[in-house]
Amino acid sequence: MPAVTVSDITILARISDATTLRARRVKSITTAPQGFEGEGFPVRRAFAGVDLAELDPFIHLDQMGEVEYAPGEPKGTPWHPHRGFETVTYIIDGIFDHKDSNGGGGTITDGDTQWMTAGGGILHIETPPEHLVMSGGLFHGFQLWVNLPASRKWSPPAYQDLRANDVALLSSTDGGSLIRIIAGELDGHVGPGTTQTPITLIHATVAPGAELRLPWRKDYNALVYTMSGHGFVGDEQRPVSMGQLTVFGDGDAIVVRAANQQESRSPNLELFILGGQPIKEPVAWMGPFVMNTKAEVMQAFEDFQKGLLGSIPAIYKEDAKKPLNRTDKLSGDILDVHNAPTDLQEG
């Protein structure tokens, strides 16, 4: 798990001592079900079973892999549409290519992030590069969907390319945790991602036996996904392990401790920590569209079928593994390409 590492953590700035802050209580711990996405790569649906109100302003989070592909096995997604939110793709191990109908795109690898604002509508594709398909190799990453408020759902599509060496690196007070700020702010330190919805995204590595106490904004919710390892959350010291999401309640600090003993293949506790200012607006979500009302979702499907959300760039049409579904059927690969619900979800 390379992502972003440092040879000497003691040279990094340290977060403030949060021992006097009120720890957030643990509201729930859920286990992500496993499945397959796109053309068949394995995922864990981190938010499955959690009420949308607890996740606000987030909608969807998939842990992609960790998987060791044999030659010929790496897979991606077909071209597909989005409207009404932002996708954040963070790669820990491996390589992923992105192209979209707005001209954004590129290749991301260990510790890089691609941030796409779908806004009023966009088409995109995510695939492993040809050389990785030929050779196989390790692949591990995350894709997060961040909701947009009604006032910004129709904003022009946009794209951010965040390189691994751009993330803000910090140490915990005791030096036992490496903190990578991908976006947002923590204790006065700011990550490179520009967000339309106020949020903070962090990848933290906690050494065995170390405790991480993060000062956290009171007006943000707080979610911690355990990507690997074993540990305990909250002052209640509730046990967590790989594939589990912790939802925290009110308070001033997030508390997580790594178990003293970890597995050899996961020597540390690895955490994806996120929180944001709840939008507190109605959510209507089906497939690749996240809007405020059912009528807006239906309009998005109609606009897609009319070709109003963009078109595949001509030079990439041969790359499309599957044709765009422009029939009047609201089902098939386009609808559930990201394991998104095929029935309308409202919250």
Side-chain angles (χ1 to χ4, degrees):
M1 184 175 288
V4 184
T5 59
V6 292
S7 57
D8 183 4
I9 197 172
T10 64
I11 66 174
L12 300 178
R14 302 196 177 197
I15 60 172
S16 301
D17 185 356
T19 55
T20 61
L21 299 179
R22 182 169 65 96
R24 289 179 176 242
R25 64 181 180 85
V26 176
K27 295 182 71 174
S28 67
I29 298 174
T30 52
T31 301
Q34 300 183 61
F36 294 91
E37 180 178 308
E39 295 175 334
F41 59 84
V43 298
R44 294 176 187 265
R45 294 194 62 191
F47 289 167
V50 182
D51 192 293
L52 283 174
E54 298 283 5
L55 303 173
D56 188 11
F58 307 108
I59 295 292
H60 185 69
L61 176 63
D62 272 348
Q63 181 180 11
M64 305 180 294
E66 180 177 14
V67 59
E68 183 76 38
Y69 281 122
E73 286 187 342
K75 299 175 176 66
T77 69
W79 281 92
H80 58 280
H82 287 301
R83 174 181 278 179
F85 63 101
E86 299 183 291
T87 65
V88 182
T89 305
Y90 174 56
I91 296 299
I92 298 171
D93 290 288
I95 308 173
F96 224 27
D97 286 341
H98 168 93
K99 305 179 184 74
D100 65 50
S101 57
N102 192 50
T107 299
I108 53 175
T109 185
D110 307 338
D112 296 336
T113 303
Q114 290 176 338
W115 199 297
M116 185 184 76
T117 302
I122 199 169
L123 304 178
H124 79 143
I125 186 172
E126 301 143 305
T127 59
E130 186 62 29
H131 67 83
L132 181 64
V133 175
M134 297 295 292
S135 66
L138 187 62
F139 182 81
H140 188 199
F142 285 85
Q143 185 166 102
L144 171 70
W145 293 11
V146 185
N147 199 10
L148 290 171
S151 61
R152 297 188 176 182
K153 282 191 178 296
W154 302 93
S155 59
Y159 183 79
Q160 299 176 65
D161 184 33
L162 310 178
R163 296 288 106 183
N165 57 9
D166 294 330
V167 302
L169 298 179
L170 303 172
S171 166
S172 58
T173 306
D174 64 0
S177 303
L178 173 61
I179 301 162
R180 310 163 184 85
I181 308 177
I182 299 168
E185 178 268 341
L186 176 69
D187 196 34
H189 302 271
V190 180
T194 300
T195 70
Q196 298 200 43
T197 303
I199 63 171
T200 294
L201 300 181
I202 290 170
H203 173 191
T205 300
V206 186
E211 182 178 79
L212 177 61
R213 284 184 175 262
L214 289 178
W216 206 251
R217 285 182 52 162
K218 287 184 177 181
D219 57 337
Y220 278 22
N221 63 352
L223 312 168
V224 174
Y225 179 78
T226 305
M227 65 175 81
S228 64
H230 302 276
F232 306 89
V233 290
D235 277 345
E236 305 96 313
Q237 295 289 293
R238 292 181 59 179
V240 291
S241 57
M242 181 178 67
Q244 293 190 307
L245 176 77
T246 302
V247 177
F248 287 90
D250 296 336
D252 305 303
I254 296 172
V255 179
V256 183
R257 183 172 70 82
N260 293 331
Q261 300 294 324
Q262 302 288 337
E263 299 176 1
S264 58
R265 67 185 182 91
S266 303
N268 300 295
L269 177 64
E270 300 285 347
L271 306 170
F272 195 60
I273 304 172
L274 58 164
Q277 194 172 70
I279 297 172
K280 297 181 179 180
E281 293 179 351
V283 173
W285 170 29
M286 185 164 68
F289 307 121
V290 181
M291 306 302 291
N292 294 108
T293 67
K294 178 179 179 180
E296 289 175 335
V297 172
M298 295 300 102
Q299 182 64 50
F301 276 106
E302 182 178 336
D303 288 348
F304 165 64
Q305 291 159 2
K306 292 178 178 178
L308 301 179
L309 271 63
S311 58
I312 299 174
I315 60 173
Y316 296 135
K317 284 189 175 179
E318 293 302 316
D319 294 338
K321 301 292 193 302
K322 298 177 182 177
L324 284 172
N325 175 10
R326 293 194 183 278
T327 72
D328 58 356
K329 297 170 64 177
L330 303 184
S331 62
D333 297 323
I334 297 303
L335 190 63
D336 60 4
V337 70
H338 284 294
N339 278 324
T342 54
D343 297 318
L344 185 71
Q345 306 289 305
E346 296 182 274

